[in-house]
Amino acid sequence: MTRALPTALSAALFGLALALSGLLAPDAYAHSTGENYVWLNVETRHLEGRFEIRLADLDRLGVTLTDAQAESPDAAREAVTTQRTSAEAYLRQHFEIRADGQPVPFDFTRADVAEAPGLGLFAQYFYRSADFNVPEQLDITNTILLGDEDKFHRSLLCIEYDRRSGKEYGEEFTALIFSAHQSEQTLDLTNIEGLLRVRDFVWQGVLHIWIGIDHVLFLIALLLTAVLVRKEDPPPHYEPVPDFKSAFIKIVTIVTTFTVAHSVTLSLAALDIISLSSRVVESIIALSIVLVAVNNIFPKVREGHWLVIFFFGLFHGMGFASVMGDLPFRMMHLVQVILAFNIGVELGQIVIVAVAFPILFLLRKSPIYRPVILNGGSAIIGLLALWWFIERAFAL
């Protein structure tokens, strides 16, 4: 295969991406993580705020909307208002504030619908607590939409102001992040600035690559040949690498190339500098796995192999970025979020490589490696990814 193949392949796939972006409408895929939001503001003698729930999630709160209602702010507002009782009962059951160990009672004051730019319509449920001496710490239990249908759903607690201290935090300041695995937390009103922890976003990056089976399979498909050497004797074939150093250098090159590529587009996409339909991105990610798997079985691409990895890594980066796309604090803490999320992705990737690489290296000389592990494993990975491509590209 000539040096021109990877370049031609890249150009062809880029053309495919542009064509698909014109034909297919944007959609959400596995990289999109669901969220709801709770605002909690501190007045001198009480707490007040609002819950914001996506219209698509309202059925889980007992609120039913028709397709026409979900698309019209006025119609949605009427439906949300008339069915507010069931939603408010759900929110009372799944959200509690405690001060000095005692529950803080609150009443709902009104319901409304608001549109978040780029995110669609949200139902709003405003609340106000009874008057009490607000302490320095509040214990909060929040299980709103957590762990029932989506184990990776998050509920973000935001704070705009604390009238007692005169502090203003801004509309998009996130103080705490609740998940199915972390539904009880303490809000320290004396140290809210420090509650947006870097490790929260590092963990989101780690979690995203671990649950992103398409990213894992792409990496595994690349690692399968990292412990082999390509030989051109007809027909082209693979032989085991002679030593650990050779394999390690190949692994470092693969991981570095993939990392640089997806870090670039992750950052650009998170900054809204570049944008493609998620259906296009997810389809090309699936296609990248298919092509790597096929090349493992029928080795053709050798010259410029790293260019191919880099090219596909660009789309994987846009896939990683989509999980950050709906974060409400992204405009206030964007650089911090991008860096921490990127670090998390790399840590998760290193763990995968650290587990898989030694096993593959030890098995590379086994008589079953090439027919079973390389060819058989690549065939399974390729077929699964082919189904994903068909499913995503044609919206099946």
Side-chain angles (χ1 to χ4, degrees):
M1 185 62 62
T2 67
R3 291 178 179 269
L5 176 60
T7 303
L9 178 61
S10 298
L13 288 175
F14 186 70
L16 174 63
L18 294 178
L20 285 173
S21 63
L23 294 172
L24 302 177
D27 202 353
Y29 267 96
H31 294 289
S32 179
T33 305
E35 292 175 347
N36 65 79
Y37 314 105
V38 182
W39 271 262
L40 188 155
N41 298 315
V42 182
E43 295 287 350
T44 55
R45 291 277 299 165
H46 70 272
L47 306 174
E48 63 182 30
R50 65 188 182 276
F51 300 90
E52 291 198 354
I53 311 293
R54 296 179 187 277
L55 295 191
D57 293 327
L58 284 181
D59 59 326
R60 295 157 68 181
L61 277 68
V63 177
T64 303
L65 276 71
T66 64
D67 291 341
Q69 288 173 326
E71 295 174 359
S72 167
D74 291 336
R77 184 174 293 108
E78 181 179 358
V80 166
T81 302
T82 57
Q83 300 181 62
R84 57 181 288 191
T85 302
S86 60
E88 291 170 358
Y90 176 95
L91 294 171
R92 285 187 185 279
Q93 181 180 356
H94 292 272
F95 185 83
E96 181 183 61
I97 304 172
R98 295 180 302 280
D100 299 324
Q102 299 300 315
V104 176
F106 61 87
D107 292 317
F108 287 96
T109 57
R110 63 187 178 93
D112 202 348
V113 168
E115 183 171 5
L119 301 178
L121 297 176
F122 284 75
Q124 298 178 311
Y125 299 93
F126 293 81
Y127 69 91
R128 183 191 190 280
S129 78
D131 287 345
F132 71 110
N133 292 321
V134 182
E136 292 183 347
Q137 293 187 341
L138 298 171
D139 296 316
I140 299 173
T141 300
N142 181 358
T143 58
I144 300 172
L145 302 178
L146 302 182
D148 46 6
E149 296 183 17
D150 182 358
K151 296 183 183 302
F152 301 104
H153 192 95
R154 296 174 293 191
S155 182
L156 278 61
L157 184 85
C158 307
I159 182 168
E160 296 165 309
Y161 56 81
D162 182 349
R163 300 295 189 208
R164 302 177 315 157
S165 63
K167 292 182 179 179
E168 299 285 340
Y169 297 96
E171 183 179 358
E172 298 177 331
F173 186 88
T174 299
L176 298 172
I177 303 175
F178 292 84
S179 66
H181 305 290
Q182 194 174 20
S183 60
E184 295 187 12
Q185 298 187 58
T186 298
L187 177 64
D188 185 350
L189 296 174
T190 66
N191 187 33
I192 294 180
E193 289 86 355
L195 292 176
L196 193 59
R197 298 175 294 260
V198 172
R199 67 175 180 268
D200 292 328
F201 305 109
V202 171
W203 171 243
Q204 289 297 327
V206 172
L207 180 65
H208 184 61
I209 193 168
W210 283 355
I211 66 173
I213 187 63
D214 43 5
H215 301 303
V216 174
L217 290 185
F218 180 74
L219 195 57
I220 293 297
L222 292 173
L223 295 181
L224 288 175
T225 58
V227 295
L228 302 174
V229 177
R230 176 186 166 90
K231 298 294 184 180
E232 293 302 318
D233 300 336
H237 65 283
Y238 291 110
E239 292 184 1
V241 292
D243 51 56
F244 181 84
K245 180 180 178 181
S246 301
F248 184 74
I249 291 174
K250 291 184 68 176
I251 287 290
V252 170
T253 305
I254 289 171
V255 173
T256 301
T257 303
F258 185 51
T259 296
V260 170
H262 70 61
S263 295
V264 168
T265 46
L266 191 160
S267 301
L268 293 177
L271 290 166
D272 290 329
I273 295 175
I274 60 173
S275 178
L276 273 181
S277 158
S278 61
R279 185 178 297 173
V280 170
V281 172
E282 297 294 339
S283 298
I284 294 179
I285 287 174
L287 183 60
S288 72
I289 304 170
V290 173
L291 295 179
V292 171
V294 170
N295 190 67
N296 285 352
I297 301 172
F298 306 103
K300 298 297 182 182
V301 177
R302 183 189 63 165
E303 307 294 345
H305 184 48
W306 315 122
L307 177 61
V308 175
I309 296 175
F310 185 87
F311 174 78
F312 285 131
L314 295 175
F315 289 94
H316 283 259
M318 285 186 274
F320 290 136
S322 66
V323 77
M324 298 162 51
D326 295 339
L327 298 182
F329 46 81
R330 62 195 304 268
M331 294 309 297
M332 295 184 63
H333 303 279
L334 185 55
V335 174
Q336 179 181 351
V337 169
I338 291 173
L339 290 176
F341 191 85
N342 240 325
I343 290 171
V345 169
E346 304 322 318
L347 290 176
Q349 184 172 278
I350 288 171
V351 170
I352 294 170
V353 173
V355 171
F357 173 56
I359 296 174
L360 297 178
F361 180 78
L362 292 175
L363 293 175
R364 75 193 190 286
K365 294 183 178 180
S366 168
I368 68 168
Y369 189 87
R370 274 168 283 177
V372 177
I373 298 177
L374 176 62
N375 294 339
S378 296
I380 293 173
I381 291 173
L383 289 173
L384 180 59
L386 179 61
W387 168 246
W388 287 339
F389 172 75
I390 296 171
E391 185 180 46
R392 295 171 182 182
F394 300 100
L396 297 180

